[in-house]
Amino acid sequence: MLRCEDVPRPVPADDEVLVRVLAAGVGPWDAWVRQGRSAIQQALPLTPGADVAGVVDRVGAEVSAFTVGDTVFGATNARFTGGYAEYAAASAAMVALKPPEVSFNAAAAVSVVGCTAWQMVFDHGRIDASKRVLIHGGAGNVGALAVQLARPRAREVIVTALPHEVAIVRALGVERVIDVSATRFDDVVRDVDVVLDTVGGDTQTRSFAVMRPGGVLVSSASPPDTDLADRHRVAAIFFLVAVTTDTLTRIGALMAAGDLDVRIGEVVPLADARKAHDMLAGAPHRIGKIVLTTEAPWAS
C-alpha cells in the first residue's frame, strides 16, 4: 500500500548527493517494487521511485563532481527506490547536471527510460548506417526514445504499433509503421539486422524469423529464447538498465539541442502517488511518462 507520510530527511552516504526533489518519474518498475516483484531484494518499509530531478542540497564526502545548488537529474540508486519524496539520496554515479533548456519534469521523465533506449540502440544494437532496424512498441516510453535515437543513424527503421499509436510514431519521422492489429509484421518484414524489443512474448518469438543471420535482437522486456536465436544464427540479448552520469549527460545534451523529446503524459502532485500507480495499473491517462511534482513553480 502506498501512503504519504513524514519521514526523516535522508543523510547522503559518502558517494551520494542529497537532492531536493522537484519532479519524480513514475515507471512500471515502481509498481514491481510496490508489489514485491522487484528482481532486487528490498527491505521494508521503503519509499518507491527511481527517476528524480531537482537541486543538490548536500554532497557526500567523496563527491567532487557536484556542488550544493547544482540542478541534476538521474536515478536514486541500484535498488531504484527513494525518489517519491521531497528529498532523496542519490548515487553520484547515477545523476548528471541538468541542462537549463530541459525542464525538471522532462528530466525526471527521461532518466531510466532514456538510458534503457540508449543501451538498446548503441551499446547492444550497435546501430549505424548499414543497419535495417525493427523496433517493437515504438510509441511506448522506451520505444519512442529508441526510435528517435535510431532513426537518424540507421539505414532504415521499421516500427510496430497499435492502431491508436500509428500517428504518434509517424510524428517521430518514421515512414514505415506497421499496425499490428491489421498486419502481422513477420508477413511483411524480412532481412532485419537489429530488432529492438520492448514488448516480449509472441512478438519477440516471431521476430527471429525476420532477421538476417548475424543480426542481434535486444530486449528490455524479457529474456529471449537462446536456442531459437541459435537456430536462426543471430545473437539475443536481455539486459537490465545501467543509469550512468555519462549516458545521462549525452541524453541531456540531445534534449537541450531539440534532438530528443520525452513525452509527458500526466503530471500528478507527489501526495497523489497512489493515483499515479492507478494509472500504471490501467486507469485512464494520457499517453506518455507519468511524473510526480512537488508543485514548485520552476518544476514545470
Side-chain angles (χ1 to χ4, degrees):
M1 175 186 296
L2 281 178
R3 187 166 56 208
C4 186
E5 294 184 345
D6 288 327
V7 298
R9 186 176 299 184
V11 176
D14 287 349
D15 60 350
E16 293 181 328
V17 294
L18 182 66
V19 178
R20 178 162 58 89
V21 179
L22 300 180
V26 178
W29 48 88
D30 298 334
W32 300 336
V33 169
R34 175 177 57 82
Q35 296 163 356
R37 296 170 50 216
S38 171
I40 303 166
Q41 189 69 31
Q42 305 282 2
L44 299 175
L46 59 76
T47 300
D51 294 303
V52 293
V55 180
V56 174
D57 185 77
R58 184 174 169 184
V59 298
E62 297 175 359
V63 175
S64 59
F66 304 101
T67 60
V68 173
D70 284 342
T71 57
V72 297
F73 72 113
T76 50
N77 50 59
R79 298 180 306 282
F80 276 27
T81 58
Y84 294 3
E86 293 176 309
Y87 289 85
S91 168
M94 297 176 68
V95 298
L97 294 173
K98 182 189 74 66
E101 300 88 348
V102 178
S103 73
F104 285 99
N105 284 350
V110 80
S111 299
V112 173
V113 292
C115 287
T116 302
W118 185 280
Q119 285 183 259
M120 295 184 87
V121 170
F122 297 112
D123 297 345
H124 300 302
R126 299 185 180 277
I127 291 171
D128 58 33
S130 69
K131 304 293 196 317
R132 298 183 70 241
V133 182
L134 173 63
I135 300 177
H136 291 307
N141 291 329
V142 173
L145 294 173
V147 167
Q148 293 177 71
L149 292 172
R151 191 184 62 79
R153 297 164 176 85
R155 175 182 163 197
E156 180 184 11
V157 172
I158 306 164
V159 178
T160 63
L162 295 170
H164 66 281
E165 298 171 338
V166 170
I168 294 171
V169 177
R170 290 197 187 281
L172 298 176
V174 179
E175 295 183 2
R176 190 174 179 189
V177 185
I178 299 172
D179 176 351
V180 294
S181 70
T183 305
R184 286 176 61 91
F185 72 87
D186 44 332
D187 287 341
V188 295
V189 176
R190 288 290 181 273
D191 297 328
V192 168
D193 299 290
V194 181
V195 173
L196 303 183
D197 166 43
T198 70
V199 177
D202 179 63
T203 296
Q204 182 189 96
T205 301
R206 288 160 46 209
S207 295
F208 289 107
V210 308
M211 300 180 67
R212 294 179 189 269
V216 59
L217 181 147
V218 183
S219 181
S220 63
S222 60
D225 184 330
T226 54
D227 290 337
L228 191 58
D230 288 344
R231 289 202 296 272
H232 286 275
R233 293 180 290 160
V234 299
I237 298 169
F238 172 71
F239 71 100
L240 299 177
V241 62
V243 180
T244 67
T245 300
D246 179 66
T247 301
L248 290 167
T249 300
R250 293 169 184 266
I251 289 169
L254 289 175
M255 294 175 71
D259 294 330
L260 186 67
D261 179 62
V262 58
R263 184 176 59 243
I264 297 173
E266 301 284 351
V267 178
V268 180
L270 176 63
D272 291 339
R274 289 181 64 177
K275 179 180 178 181
H277 275 243
D278 288 341
M279 295 176 187
L280 285 178
H285 66 283
R286 289 187 290 270
I287 292 176
K289 189 70 183 281
I290 303 166
V291 175
L292 302 177
T293 177
T294 57
E295 300 185 282
W298 51 57
S300 61

